mmCIF file of all heavy atoms in Angstrom:
data_model
loop_
_atom_site.group_PDB
_atom_site.id
_atom_site.type_symbol
_atom_site.label_atom_id
_atom_site.label_comp_id
_atom_site.label_asym_id
_atom_site.label_seq_id
_atom_site.Cartn_x
_atom_site.Cartn_y
_atom_site.Cartn_z
ATOM 1 N N GLU A 218 -42.292 78.162 -142.038
ATOM 2 C CA GLU A 218 -43.538 78.124 -142.835
ATOM 3 C C GLU A 218 -44.624 77.319 -142.137
ATOM 4 O O GLU A 218 -45.781 77.749 -142.073
ATOM 5 C CB GLU A 218 -43.139 77.292 -144.195
ATOM 6 C CG GLU A 218 -42.743 78.265 -145.338
ATOM 7 C CD GLU A 218 -42.884 77.566 -146.694
ATOM 8 O OE1 GLU A 218 -43.422 76.488 -146.792
ATOM 9 O OE2 GLU A 218 -42.338 78.173 -147.632
ATOM 10 N N THR A 273 -50.374 82.266 -149.368
ATOM 11 C CA THR A 273 -49.367 81.199 -149.362
ATOM 12 C C THR A 273 -47.963 81.687 -149.806
ATOM 13 O O THR A 273 -46.996 81.342 -149.150
ATOM 14 C CB THR A 273 -49.846 79.979 -150.394
ATOM 15 O OG1 THR A 273 -50.199 80.613 -151.580
ATOM 16 C CG2 THR A 273 -51.016 79.239 -149.783
ATOM 17 N N ILE A 274 -48.020 82.576 -150.890
ATOM 18 C CA ILE A 274 -46.679 83.031 -151.389
ATOM 19 C C ILE A 274 -46.059 84.046 -150.396
ATOM 20 O O ILE A 274 -44.908 83.967 -150.192
ATOM 21 C CB ILE A 274 -46.894 83.608 -152.811
ATOM 22 C CG1 ILE A 274 -47.609 82.601 -153.767
ATOM 23 C CG2 ILE A 274 -45.629 84.105 -153.362
ATOM 24 C CD1 ILE A 274 -46.877 81.296 -153.824
ATOM 25 N N ARG A 275 -46.945 84.942 -149.976
ATOM 26 C CA ARG A 275 -46.384 85.985 -149.061
ATOM 27 C C ARG A 275 -45.866 85.385 -147.740
ATOM 28 O O ARG A 275 -44.863 85.824 -147.211
ATOM 29 C CB ARG A 275 -47.377 87.032 -148.818
ATOM 30 C CG ARG A 275 -47.820 87.865 -150.071
ATOM 31 C CD ARG A 275 -46.624 88.467 -150.660
ATOM 32 N NE ARG A 275 -46.914 89.377 -151.727
ATOM 33 C CZ ARG A 275 -46.062 89.748 -152.712
ATOM 34 N NH1 ARG A 275 -44.774 89.403 -152.555
ATOM 35 N NH2 ARG A 275 -46.354 90.562 -153.641
ATOM 36 N N SER A 277 -44.754 82.390 -147.355
ATOM 37 C CA SER A 277 -43.553 81.648 -147.592
ATOM 38 C C SER A 277 -42.321 82.593 -147.733
ATOM 39 O O SER A 277 -41.203 82.366 -147.280
ATOM 40 C CB SER A 277 -43.678 80.834 -148.901
ATOM 41 O OG SER A 277 -42.483 80.189 -149.266
ATOM 42 N N GLN A 278 -42.536 83.767 -148.449
ATOM 43 C CA GLN A 278 -41.455 84.764 -148.562
ATOM 44 C C GLN A 278 -41.046 85.329 -147.235
ATOM 45 O O GLN A 278 -39.884 85.481 -147.012
ATOM 46 C CB GLN A 278 -41.993 85.885 -149.531
ATOM 47 C CG GLN A 278 -42.125 85.462 -150.952
ATOM 48 C CD GLN A 278 -42.894 86.483 -151.816
ATOM 49 O OE1 GLN A 278 -43.671 87.225 -151.264
ATOM 50 N NE2 GLN A 278 -42.643 86.459 -153.100
ATOM 51 N N ASN A 281 -38.948 82.733 -145.502
ATOM 52 C CA ASN A 281 -37.599 82.638 -146.127
ATOM 53 C C ASN A 281 -36.762 83.831 -145.788
ATOM 54 O O ASN A 281 -35.545 83.696 -145.669
ATOM 55 C CB ASN A 281 -37.732 82.551 -147.654
ATOM 56 C CG ASN A 281 -36.811 81.515 -148.224
ATOM 57 O OD1 ASN A 281 -36.107 80.751 -147.505
ATOM 58 N ND2 ASN A 281 -36.596 81.478 -149.589
ATOM 59 N N VAL A 308 -35.502 88.262 -151.767
ATOM 60 C CA VAL A 308 -35.952 86.976 -151.180
ATOM 61 C C VAL A 308 -37.018 86.395 -152.084
ATOM 62 O O VAL A 308 -37.851 87.115 -152.665
ATOM 63 C CB VAL A 308 -36.546 87.299 -149.734
ATOM 64 C CG1 VAL A 308 -37.150 86.034 -149.211
ATOM 65 C CG2 VAL A 308 -35.553 87.877 -148.798
ATOM 66 N N SER A 309 -37.048 85.074 -152.147
ATOM 67 C CA SER A 309 -38.093 84.428 -152.955
ATOM 68 C C SER A 309 -38.875 83.518 -151.955
ATOM 69 O O SER A 309 -38.565 83.264 -150.836
ATOM 70 C CB SER A 309 -37.480 83.491 -153.997
ATOM 71 O OG SER A 309 -36.762 82.416 -153.455
ATOM 72 N N ALA A 310 -39.983 82.942 -152.527
ATOM 73 C CA ALA A 310 -40.671 81.927 -151.739
ATOM 74 C C ALA A 310 -39.839 80.696 -151.761
ATOM 75 O O ALA A 310 -38.835 80.546 -152.581
ATOM 76 C CB ALA A 310 -41.982 81.673 -152.424
ATOM 77 N N THR A 311 -40.117 79.725 -150.843
ATOM 78 C CA THR A 311 -39.263 78.505 -150.759
ATOM 79 C C THR A 311 -39.533 77.616 -151.983
ATOM 80 O O THR A 311 -40.432 77.885 -152.874
ATOM 81 C CB THR A 311 -39.682 77.724 -149.478
ATOM 82 O OG1 THR A 311 -41.040 77.488 -149.438
ATOM 83 C CG2 THR A 311 -39.251 78.547 -148.208
ATOM 84 N N SER A 312 -38.687 76.620 -152.201
ATOM 85 C CA SER A 312 -38.671 75.787 -153.446
ATOM 86 C C SER A 312 -39.931 75.308 -153.841
ATOM 87 O O SER A 312 -40.331 75.288 -154.967
ATOM 88 C CB SER A 312 -37.533 74.799 -153.366
ATOM 89 O OG SER A 312 -37.922 73.871 -152.269
ATOM 90 N N TYR A 313 -40.775 74.761 -152.896
ATOM 91 C CA TYR A 313 -42.083 74.110 -153.230
ATOM 92 C C TYR A 313 -42.955 75.200 -153.919
ATOM 93 O O TYR A 313 -43.653 74.826 -154.893
ATOM 94 C CB TYR A 313 -42.746 73.677 -151.984
ATOM 95 C CG TYR A 313 -44.215 73.197 -152.138
ATOM 96 C CD1 TYR A 313 -44.499 71.872 -152.530
ATOM 97 C CD2 TYR A 313 -45.280 74.002 -151.958
ATOM 98 C CE1 TYR A 313 -45.722 71.378 -152.790
ATOM 99 C CE2 TYR A 313 -46.543 73.561 -152.186
ATOM 100 C CZ TYR A 313 -46.819 72.309 -152.557
ATOM 101 O OH TYR A 313 -48.102 71.811 -152.724
ATOM 102 N N TRP A 314 -42.886 76.379 -153.455
ATOM 103 C CA TRP A 314 -43.843 77.421 -154.011
ATOM 104 C C TRP A 314 -43.366 77.999 -155.354
ATOM 105 O O TRP A 314 -44.121 78.811 -155.949
ATOM 106 C CB TRP A 314 -44.023 78.542 -153.023
ATOM 107 C CG TRP A 314 -44.690 77.956 -151.774
ATOM 108 C CD1 TRP A 314 -44.062 77.748 -150.566
ATOM 109 C CD2 TRP A 314 -46.042 77.553 -151.619
ATOM 110 N NE1 TRP A 314 -45.009 77.213 -149.647
ATOM 111 C CE2 TRP A 314 -46.187 77.062 -150.353
ATOM 112 C CE3 TRP A 314 -47.110 77.502 -152.507
ATOM 113 C CZ2 TRP A 314 -47.424 76.600 -149.869
ATOM 114 C CZ3 TRP A 314 -48.340 76.982 -152.026
ATOM 115 C CH2 TRP A 314 -48.519 76.507 -150.721
ATOM 116 N N GLN A 315 -42.199 77.555 -155.814
ATOM 117 C CA GLN A 315 -41.814 77.969 -157.167
ATOM 118 C C GLN A 315 -42.678 77.267 -158.229
ATOM 119 O O GLN A 315 -42.699 77.671 -159.391
ATOM 120 C CB GLN A 315 -40.315 77.638 -157.335
ATOM 121 C CG GLN A 315 -39.374 78.511 -156.563
ATOM 122 C CD GLN A 315 -37.937 78.217 -156.695
ATOM 123 O OE1 GLN A 315 -37.542 77.718 -157.791
ATOM 124 N NE2 GLN A 315 -37.119 78.448 -155.762
ATOM 125 N N LYS A 328 -39.733 81.695 -159.825
ATOM 126 C CA LYS A 328 -39.000 81.843 -158.602
ATOM 127 C C LYS A 328 -39.758 82.652 -157.514
ATOM 128 O O LYS A 328 -39.630 82.420 -156.381
ATOM 129 C CB LYS A 328 -37.688 82.456 -158.830
ATOM 130 C CG LYS A 328 -36.692 82.219 -157.711
ATOM 131 C CD LYS A 328 -35.296 82.613 -158.064
ATOM 132 C CE LYS A 328 -34.271 82.260 -156.959
ATOM 133 N NZ LYS A 328 -32.914 82.632 -157.282
ATOM 134 N N LYS A 329 -40.648 83.610 -157.893
ATOM 135 C CA LYS A 329 -41.475 84.337 -156.990
ATOM 136 C C LYS A 329 -40.686 85.146 -156.002
ATOM 137 O O LYS A 329 -40.770 85.101 -154.763
ATOM 138 C CB LYS A 329 -42.499 83.491 -156.266
ATOM 139 C CG LYS A 329 -43.420 82.669 -157.248
ATOM 140 C CD LYS A 329 -44.494 81.824 -156.473
ATOM 141 C CE LYS A 329 -45.371 81.092 -157.433
ATOM 142 N NZ LYS A 329 -44.659 80.041 -158.178
ATOM 143 N N MET A 330 -39.821 86.007 -156.556
ATOM 144 C CA MET A 330 -39.099 87.020 -155.783
ATOM 145 C C MET A 330 -39.905 88.150 -155.332
ATOM 146 O O MET A 330 -40.937 88.451 -155.969
ATOM 147 C CB MET A 330 -37.857 87.479 -156.561
ATOM 148 C CG MET A 330 -36.927 86.426 -157.143
ATOM 149 S SD MET A 330 -35.877 85.710 -155.812
ATOM 150 C CE MET A 330 -34.925 87.180 -155.278
ATOM 151 N N LEU A 331 -39.504 88.821 -154.220
ATOM 152 C CA LEU A 331 -40.138 89.969 -153.892
ATOM 153 C C LEU A 331 -39.829 91.096 -154.925
ATOM 154 O O LEU A 331 -38.641 91.297 -155.305
ATOM 155 C CB LEU A 331 -39.677 90.567 -152.499
ATOM 156 C CG LEU A 331 -39.984 89.759 -151.279
ATOM 157 C CD1 LEU A 331 -39.334 90.411 -150.027
ATOM 158 C CD2 LEU A 331 -41.507 89.672 -151.127
#
Side-chain angles (χ1 to χ4, degrees):
E218 269 195 14
T273 47
I274 305 305
R275 292 307 183 196
S277 177
Q278 290 167 334
N281 220 13
V308 177
S309 69
T311 56
S312 59
Y313 173 85
W314 297 105
Q315 293 180 25
K328 199 169 184 181
K329 301 183 180 68
M330 302 288 295
L331 291 180

